[in-house]
Amino acid sequence: MLLVWLCNVGIGTVIGAAYLRHLPANESVRLWIFAHFGLVSTIVTLTAIGAAICLVLARTIRGERAFLAAQSAVWMFFHIALYTDTCIYKLFHYHFNGSAWNLLTARGSTDSYRLGPSVWIVAFSLAGLLFAGEWALGRFADRRVRHARENGRPVAWKPASVWFLLFAVPIFVEKSIYASAGLTLDREVQQTSGIFPAYPRISVELFLPNEWRSKLPQGAEYTLRDEASMLDYPHARPQFAADGPRPNILLVVIDSWRQDMLAEDVTPGLWKFARETRRFDDHVSGGNATRFGLFSLFYGLHGSYWWPVLAAARPPVLFDELEGLGYDLRVFSSATMDYPEFRQSAFSRMGERVIDEFGTQAPHERDTRLAEKLIAWWNERRDAHDERPFFAFALLDSPHQIYDFPDDATPFEPFAPELDYVEMAGSTDPELVLRVKNRYRNAVHHADHVATTILDALRAGDDWKNTVVIVTGDHGEEFAEHGHWGHTSNFAPEQTRVPFLMRGPGIAAGVEARPTSHLDVAPTLLELLGADPRARELVPRRQPAHAAEQARAHGRGVGGSRRVDRQRDLPSADVARPRVPHRGVRLRLALARRSIRRVPHRSRRALRGQRRVRAFPRAGPDDRPCRALTRGPVRARRRSHCGWSTSRSRA
């Protein structure tokens, strides 16, 4: 078994060599040595798990053939899992983790991806070759042991000891480099270790004498709470006048709609519609995935608060207040709302008012049927003379991977007939990028047709003039501009910037160039219903000064923001942190109605690490219908790091 294990270490090292492609282009000799030896160290650690399983099987399974089959299956699955992880890292720059497992096992998650025939052909071919090779290796090792015993000689350990020595030396050197990097705060080596899955990080600082530790360079200390957060949301509720305005609200979200895809050739219907709207040209989502993009849109909170909100099954204040004001709420989603778990959070009290079953697997057909059901609901309300204002949310899923569209709607060619993730993981060839991107453009073009059908149906009725219409995306989509495919992998503009169109009573048409964010949509809608904009100020701290000192002593934060205690509700430890520090641009749409007197906004503290900023001056007489106020330093407008990423695809 030792020989089989050592041979599989070699096979795993060959497969894992794909991780070395992600080294910096100008790496030093020290970093080069660490990376290559670190690969060997990681593979030895991971294969030790497979060897332990085989050892248990050897003790429990009787029969040579049965054991060989079980051993071959173990190593086959190990190498397939390793190869899969290399592909995931190439595409998204993170490894197979709990979020990826959740994507595979959660109900409804298959709407987020689809593996084409080419992927399964490669998988089964690789599995067959690995199983046959492992079977032959097991037979060879078994015959060698038998031959040695039949000749009365002990099992030859010399070749195995040579292999062991070849592995031991790199591991020792690599661990020494990593330990010294930890002592000298060499971030380059520590960051490079992240390219390997389950890399064993070992620090020797605790074993050094106190006088030595006192001479080491000191880095910033921080404490991250791992226990579950206690939700304190909301701190206060908005107040509305009984005779205040009650416009209808239609919120249309096109999945994966990136900012530059609002174009006359890609989305002709929405491009024409944009002329009569307020078009926000510098708008960012609250994340680079559906989970956090929609969460920020509904709640007005950053994506790091998703986990405590989900645990408490807490709907957003926006939906609570709309219910209290007598609105008729409906949710139409082409993608299942079981994944991400919006049925258990934002829509937890809506029940059958969430419509996400359309009797077909094709996303473009689901989008078409969604529009039909939404229009039929409007007709039912009209026939029943329902005078209640409505809130309708529609999520169109065609532009999400796999980029689906009808066979006869292909204005952009050449396009990829399917998404070959194996090919995409190994290449960023411009021709491949063009074919994949054209497939995406065709899907966006179809979504534009569906969205325009919905808007035309609303325009034909009596509700058009009294309806606030918002059309936007939940996140963007990247096509190897920064070495990634899709979303959830990077906080670059391609994955975070989205179109944002808004029209309705009191909203002036035009182009808004100042930066805005999904986090401001829910407060803006509440203000359109009459909520006092001054309620958006920071709430006073709820703890006395001595409690703050005690909390700092125990590594806890105090104080609060206007909705959730900023330090108290830290995300759980399994949330993947963005690689670039989050700057948290807090911006306001605050589009005022003609009938409401404008109240000057007082300044507020921007997010942690930012200076105090004043709101932009009030709009003058020429711009009375719209006073789009922005908050936060303008210099942060291009940083676009407004969310959290935890998983592949929609999650």
Side-chain angles (χ1 to χ4, degrees), residues 51 53 111 163 174 178 215 246 263 277 354 373 413 418 535 571:
I53 296 174
D111 284 351
W163 278 88
E174 173 266 327
Y178 186 83
K215 298 178 182 180
R246 301 293 183 263
T277 70
V354 178
K373 285 199 173 186
E413 295 183 349
E418 64 178 22

Side-chain angles (χ1 to χ4, degrees), residues 261-282:
M261 288 297 112
L262 176 61
E264 188 173 7
D265 58 337
V266 182
T267 55
L270 292 176
W271 180 260
K272 181 179 179 181
F273 171 69
R275 299 175 185 173
E276 56 183 297
T277 70
R278 193 75 176 177
R279 192 184 80 205
F280 294 81
D281 281 352
D282 193 4

Side-chain angles (χ1 to χ4, degrees), residues 141-156:
D142 184 64
R143 288 176 182 176
R144 184 176 179 181
V145 171
R146 286 188 177 187
H147 180 72
R149 289 176 178 174
E150 289 173 357
N151 293 327
R153 297 195 307 266
V155 178

